[in-house]
Amino acid sequence: IKALPLLQLTAESLMISSEKVAHVQLNNPLEHALLILVKSGYSAVPVLDIQYRFKGIIGKNTILNEILGLERFELERLSDITVERVMITNTPCLNKSDHFLTCLKAVMDHPFVCVVNQEGYFDGIVTRREILKQLNKYIHV
Amino acid sequence: IKALPLLQLTAESLMISSEKVAHVQLNNPLEHALLILVKSGYSAVPVLDIQYRFKGIIGKNTILNEILGLERFELERLSDITVERVMITNTPCLNKSDHFLTCLKAVMDHPFVCVVNQEGYFDGIVTRREILKQLNKYIHV
Ligand SMILES: Nc1ncnc2c1ncn2[C@@H]1O[C@@H]2COP(=O)(O)O[C@H]3[C@@H](O)[C@H](n4cnc5c(N)ncnc54)O[C@@H]3COP(=O)(O)O[C@H]2[C@H]1O
Ligand SMILES: Nc1ncnc2c1ncn2[C@@H]1O[C@@H]2COP(=O)(O)O[C@H]3[C@@H](O)[C@H](n4cnc5c(N)ncnc54)O[C@@H]3COP(=O)(O)O[C@H]2[C@H]1O
């Protein structure tokens, strides 16, 4: 099974490269983050610091949960809270050199996984769609 | 390749059955739909009519896009608009008897796909996660 060219694919060849990935910054207020998410159409995106190091993931779920008060969504609080305070930080990451099976396992529980290098710099994301596309290709071989 | 037990799996064996699927009704106001989405934690869920027939899909993207005004998110409009008016209706559906490859192709561009019978009744959903789990199992055989 190690002979399958599919299994030799690396995260680097599978990933959407960082310059094509929508993201937000650590210190952005949630108001800005929510606007980016709604305009880009993505449910969640990576959070980077000022030097493009990977810090976490922020999504509409997290933001809306944060402002859901007892009676209504308290939109005014969006300008008071920063991304850093509520983002999700315990998500698995991949390395550029990780092979296909590692990537497949990573997206089992996450719609996308960030590819990060040794120093923590953000390289890109591996999405479920890309994994499914490759599997679809090889399942027909 | 037709011999592979994986390819013989049907949508029925892959799907999350309707009783376990969070959904909203056609005539719910967006305010109710958004609450269901935030509390369930799902980005999008099926829309059913009063007889549990499949009608469309509603997600946070659609709702937030709808109320994004020029200056702010106009939350007050959420009680004025119904799910039916903004839901997405042109999504592909599956039939219980569809085989694995058909299901795989369906989730290529959609995180989940609804399983619907001839009369339009909602049977369940096939998710990317379930497809990936099965592929992960068989890729190790
Ligand atoms: N503008 C668009 N054009 C075409 N199809 C679109 C699309 N936006 C969303 N989709 C479809 O919907 C799926 C779920 O998107 P979601 O935003 O929930 O979840 C996305 C999003 O959170 C993130 N993502 C994907 N591409 C991204 C990017 N360029 N920048 C930032 N985040 C991205 O990765 C998750 C999984 O993406 P994946 O491609 O597997 O799956 C995507 C894709 O199949
Ligand atoms: N409560 C939870 N517990 C554990 N993991 C969770 C979870 N909520 C979300 N996830 C994880 O996040 C992925 C994306 O969820 P999302 O809500 O964007 O997108 C979901 C949601 O729109 C819909 N969905 C899944 N299960 C549902 C259910 N029981 N009722 C209604 N919709 C469901 O199908 C999409 C794809 O689901 P999938 O399982 O492939 O992928 C899920 C799953 O891996």
Side-chain angles (χ1 to χ4, degrees):
Chain A
I1 200 163
K2 268 218 152 24
L4 270 191
L6 171 70
L7 300 188
Q8 301 309 317
L9 292 174
T10 59
E12 182 169 17
S13 66
L14 295 164
M15 72 186 193
I16 297 175
S17 194
S18 59
E19 65 271 16
K20 301 206 191 95
V21 178
H23 70 270
V24 297
Q25 288 279 324
L26 268 183
N27 55 4
N28 286 154
L30 292 190
E31 182 176 41
H32 179 76
L34 188 59
L35 219 57
I36 294 214
L37 289 169
V38 175
K39 291 192 170 182
S40 69
Y42 296 121
S43 319
V45 297
V47 180
L48 309 180
D49 69 11
I50 208 137
Q51 301 178 319
Y52 287 80
R53 274 182 301 219
F54 172 68
K55 290 297 172 186
I57 288 175
I58 187 87
K60 285 167 182 143
N61 260 344
T62 303
I63 296 175
L64 292 173
N65 250 311
E66 192 61 30
I67 61 163
L68 180 55
L70 286 172
E71 305 205 350
R72 59 183 179 86
F73 287 100
E74 295 162 0
L75 275 189
E76 61 278 13
R77 297 181 46 216
L78 285 176
S79 39
D80 305 333
I81 309 167
T82 57
V83 164
E84 183 169 17
R85 263 193 48 197
V86 304
M87 68 188 184
I88 293 168
T89 49
N90 55 357
T91 50
C93 284
L94 290 165
N95 190 283
K96 268 195 200 170
S97 56
D98 283 334
H99 289 289
F100 187 81
L101 281 184
T102 306
C103 298
L104 169 58
K105 285 189 176 60
V107 300
M108 202 72 81
D109 290 318
H110 302 88
F112 74 96
V113 181
C114 292
V115 184
V116 180
N117 77 4
Q118 310 276 43
E119 284 80 56
Y121 288 97
F122 176 68
D123 287 331
I125 61 174
V126 171
T127 62
R128 278 176 172 172
R129 183 166 183 275
E130 190 55 37
I131 296 291
L132 289 166
K133 274 173 63 183
Q134 296 298 332
L135 286 159
N136 187 44
K137 233 163 75 180
Y138 283 85
I139 211 170
H140 286 97
V141 169
Chain B
I1 199 163
K2 267 215 154 26
L4 271 189
L6 171 70
L7 300 187
Q8 301 309 317
L9 291 173
T10 59
E12 182 169 18
S13 65
L14 295 163
M15 71 187 193
I16 297 174
S17 195
S18 59
E19 65 272 14
K20 300 206 192 95
V21 178
H23 70 270
V24 298
Q25 289 280 325
L26 267 183
N27 56 4
N28 287 152
L30 291 191
E31 183 176 42
H32 179 76
L34 188 59
L35 219 55
I36 293 214
L37 289 169
V38 175
K39 290 192 170 183
S40 67
Y42 296 120
S43 318
V45 297
V47 180
L48 310 180
D49 68 12
I50 209 136
Q51 302 178 320
Y52 286 80
R53 273 180 303 218
F54 172 68
K55 290 296 172 186
I57 288 176
I58 188 85
K60 284 167 184 145
N61 259 345
T62 303
I63 296 175
L64 291 172
N65 251 311
E66 193 61 31
I67 61 164
L68 180 55
L70 285 173
E71 306 207 348
R72 58 183 180 84
F73 287 101
E74 295 161 2
L75 275 190
E76 60 278 13
R77 297 182 46 217
L78 286 177
S79 38
D80 306 332
I81 309 167
T82 56
V83 163
E84 183 169 17
R85 263 193 48 196
V86 303
M87 67 188 185
I88 293 168
T89 49
N90 56 357
T91 50
C93 284
L94 291 165
N95 190 284
K96 267 195 202 171
S97 56
D98 284 333
H99 290 287
F100 187 81
L101 280 184
T102 306
C103 298
L104 169 58
K105 286 188 176 59
V107 300
M108 202 72 80
D109 291 317
H110 302 88
F112 74 95
V113 181
C114 290
V115 184
V116 180
N117 77 3
Q118 311 275 43
E119 285 79 55
Y121 288 97
F122 177 67
D123 286 332
I125 62 174
V126 171
T127 62
R128 277 176 172 173
R129 184 165 182 276
E130 191 54 39
I131 296 290
L132 290 165
K133 274 174 62 182
Q134 295 299 331
L135 285 158
N136 187 44
K137 233 163 75 182
Y138 282 85
I139 210 168
H140 285 98
V141 169

